[in-house]
């Protein structure tokens, strides 16, 4: 791109005053043999503004679930809350019909790692821990986050895995820095999980997000510090480690082809945030 032309990102600034510096820096890292992001996953100021609106709706949907979720409720009722709130506010639940997924939200209980399908026959019981994973499309822009909910009095085992999962995510966020690497986040998460006797699921990870539900890069939470893609301002992705009590191994439900269970029936917990890399740090876009 010519130095004095208007930058491709639509900022209205000349290229030399905008993305030229970032892209020259990317080229230096690339020459060093590092994995660098393609331009198409660096969000423009307009895209960031629109994706933030989607993320705000996603947070409001999770708040609506948090207000109503209780013992005795079916996971199908959670699905209805998500569908109704999202569509009433002009959004579309991203999971609905995504690669054949039949519902608007994923609800994963206890030994379910992820991708649980809401069902009239799954009733929340005292002692359950449940991950509710909400993803929203608003005006064509995507957002994604999940929270853990606890039903009544839960076991110490369950309390501990949720607490450590929260700590893992916080450590991951603290390790995320512009011009660092995705592996820095993974290492912070994995080492804290291991120090607590837990494991991190390896074959399912996070993803880029914003213009599509799942974009580049795949985000692993087990790779070493300094490895994987360079973190460049404008990148957006999820931090969503799945922490297992025992083995990191899992199996997928043969009947519905979606729900992922721990192989040893141990508990699994997950918390997901969506983040934006900025020149001066990381911004968390969802709650
Ligand atoms: Zn620019």
């Amino acid at each position: 791109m010519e130095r004095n032309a208007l930058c491709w990102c639509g900022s209205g600034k000349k290229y030399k005053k905008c993305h030229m510096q970032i892209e020259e820096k990317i080229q230096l890292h690339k020459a060093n043999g590092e994995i660098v992001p393609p331009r198409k996953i660096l969000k423009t100021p307009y895209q960031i503004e629109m994706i933030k609106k989607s993320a705000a709706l996603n947070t409001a949907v999770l708040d609506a679930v948090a207000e109503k979720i209780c013992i005795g409720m079916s996971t199908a009722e959670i699905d209805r809350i998500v569908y109704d709130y999202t569509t009433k506010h002009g959004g579309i639940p991203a999971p609905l019909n995504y690669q054949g997924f039949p519902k608007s939200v994923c609800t994963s209980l206890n030994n379910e790692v992820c991708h649980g399908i809401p069902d009239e026959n799954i009733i929340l019981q005292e002692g359950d821990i449940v991950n509710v994973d909400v993803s929203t499309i608003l005006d064509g822009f995507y957002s994604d986050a999940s929270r853990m909910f606890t039903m009544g009095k839960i076991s110490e085992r369950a309390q501990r895995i949720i607490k450590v999962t929260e700590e893992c995510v916080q450590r991951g966020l603290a390790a995320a820095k512009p011009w660092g690497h995705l592996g820095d986040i993974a290492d912070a998460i994995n080492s804290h999980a291991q120090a607590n006797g837990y494991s991190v699921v390896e074959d399912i990870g996070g993803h880029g997000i914003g213009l599509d539900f799942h974009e580049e890069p795949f985000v692993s939470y087990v790779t070493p510090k300094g490895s994987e893609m360079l973190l460049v301002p404008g990148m957006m992705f999820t931090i969503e480690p799945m922490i297992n009590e025992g083995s990191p191994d899992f199996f997928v439900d043969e009947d519905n082809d979606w729900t992922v269970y721990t192989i040893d029936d141990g508990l699994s917990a997950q918390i997901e945030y969506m983040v934006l890399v900025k020149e001066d740090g990381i911004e968390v876009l969802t709650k």
Side-chain angles (χ1 to χ4, degrees), residues 44-54 236:
T44 68
Y46 168 73
Q47 289 165 348
I48 290 168
E49 184 192 326
M50 296 303 286
I51 295 165
K52 280 184 175 177
K53 288 181 185 167
S54 177
M236 255 183 215

Side-chain angles (χ1 to χ4, degrees), residues 98-99 115 142 144 205-210 212-216 240:
Y98 176 79
Q99 294 183 353
H115 303 163
Y142 288 74
D144 194 358
H207 50 92
I209 180 148
D212 209 339
F213 196 176
H214 298 105
E215 300 175 10
E216 275 184 271
E240 51 172 322

Side-chain angles (χ1 to χ4, degrees), residues 7 9 11 18-19:
C7 188
C9 77
S11 65
C18 192
H19 273 85

Side-chain angles (χ1 to χ4, degrees), residues 217-257:
F218 171 79
V219 183
S220 165
Y221 304 109
V222 294
T223 48
K225 200 172 158 111
S227 70
E228 303 295 318
M229 191 177 278
L230 183 71
L231 297 177
V232 173
M235 279 173 70
M236 255 183 215
F237 55 90
T238 62
I239 296 185
E240 51 172 322
M242 288 152 236
I243 309 295
N244 288 0
E245 221 178 3
S247 164
D249 296 339
F250 57 81
F251 68 95
V252 179
D253 190 304
E254 277 182 23
D255 294 327
N256 69 29
D257 240 2

Side-chain angles (χ1 to χ4, degrees), residues 108 129-132 146-150 162 165 268-271:
S108 307
I129 60 171
V130 52
N131 173 273
V132 177
S146 82
R147 295 182 197 167
M148 293 300 296
F149 295 98
T150 58
I162 292 175
T165 300
S268 185
Q270 180 182 28
I271 293 166

